[in-house]
Amino acid sequence: MNAENVHQDIDLAAPDLPREPEHAADPAAADSDAVTTFDTGTSLDTGTSLDSGTSFDAEASFDAEASFDADAGEPIEPAQHNPASAGHEPADGGPDVADEDFEPGPDPEPVAPPTGTMSADRLAAKALEARLLGGERKLRRREVAAGAGLSLLSARKLWRALGFPNLGDEDVAFTERDQSALSTIVDLVRDGKLTEEAAISITRAIGQMTDRMVVWQIEALVEDMVQEQGVPDAVARKRLVSELPNLIDALEEMLVYSWRRQLNAGVQRLAVRAEAGLQSSEEGREGDEDDSPLPLARAVGFADLVSYTSLSRRMNEKTLAQLVQRFENKCAEIISVGGGRLVKTVGDEVLYIAETPAAGAEISLALSRAFTEDEILPQARVAMVWGRILSRLGDIYGPTVNLAARLTALADPGTVLVDSMTAAALEQDERFILVPRTAEDVRGFGEIHPVLLQPGEGRGLILD
């Protein structure tokens, strides 16, 4: 257990606290909290989000702040005048120095002309930062925490959850909007609407998801400029600073719109219709299955590209990026049209879920068919299992997920496998043909009976 976990001030619902002193008597003690750890075990001095190597891109300007200030400093004073070096009469009326007696020394180093201003690029970056952060950085971390009535340790727990980097007491890195956002989270706990644990978990979800989203969006914009404007990648990244202000409002509006739609769909899927899925999952069960205690019933599927590793070794960076993007786009389209949810992609593999066995089967067959018919992508191995899962941190867990992964490795390229229980749930549906295969001994599950899933009557999943 670390010091942060037992500190009396870490309760987010604690009353307003007096502002902590700017400097500790012992410099080592003042920084002692920089090496404590989260309740979750992540290191406080990393400052990175869990899903990626960096926090969201606005944080890069934390490190750039010093260079901003340096460029905006006092104008450079002109070099001191040396009359002797120019062969002129000294200002104090001393003896003349004859030109023929003067031996010039080495040429002086050139002196940069005084500017006292930032370059146009840095001005644009500074203006973009102020717009994104809601103002100029004027506050230190202790000032923000005290303004929210929170201890510094508690504030840092929330900043860590959001993926912010580690900052020192003297870093002027925050704006008034940072203080307002911190107060918003804390008020949810103090008003009894969330527990501290739930508040940190929700905050971490926001930080991780927006981090990945921002990286994705920036790379998409840079790639578009490279292709459409014919500029090198480095030039496109620099130009993004001046292009982005025209897009901020539209991107923000779409973010809020999508979040509201997704929240509604999630409530329906994870709350309103959850009981119906559990009732349908009871069919064919004896009650002693490994996944019986888990709270949600879902069709869990994997699609895995064949020979991806060997293909990636023969491709250059641009071609490989196009292949991965084509794979992810096609998977996302088919899964969403089929009413499922793409949980995540990991290189050459995609994990998805659906609410019913039939929906999962339709998606699985459509994925297999799409990759078989694609002129660029290789075929895929696909497997789907109907069972119960645990949904946490945007991911899914449980024996059902593990079994689907094992079946994927057993599937032949261009085919879909299900287990015997999933086959029993689909056997009365004329849209599917089920062909039993030889029993297999699978690590962690013992003997299982794979079943080949093939399309039956009907047109299957139709893409516009």
Side-chain angles (χ1 to χ4, degrees), residues 187-209:
D187 288 345
L188 290 173
V189 177
R190 289 175 175 162
D191 294 343
K193 297 176 181 178
L194 292 175
T195 64
E196 179 179 334
E197 182 179 2
I200 292 176
S201 181
I202 290 171
T203 302
R204 182 171 288 115
I206 294 171
Q208 290 184 25
M209 295 302 105

Side-chain angles (χ1 to χ4, degrees), residues 14 40 55 94 122 127 150 153 169 194 233 262 266 294 307 311 340 392 405 428 434 441 443 460:
T40 57
S55 301
R122 291 193 178 277
L150 205 59
L153 291 175
D169 286 340
L194 292 175
D233 183 89
Q262 295 288 4
L294 301 181
S307 303
L311 279 173
R392 288 292 186 275
Q428 301 302 320
L434 300 159
D441 188 62
R443 179 169 56 88

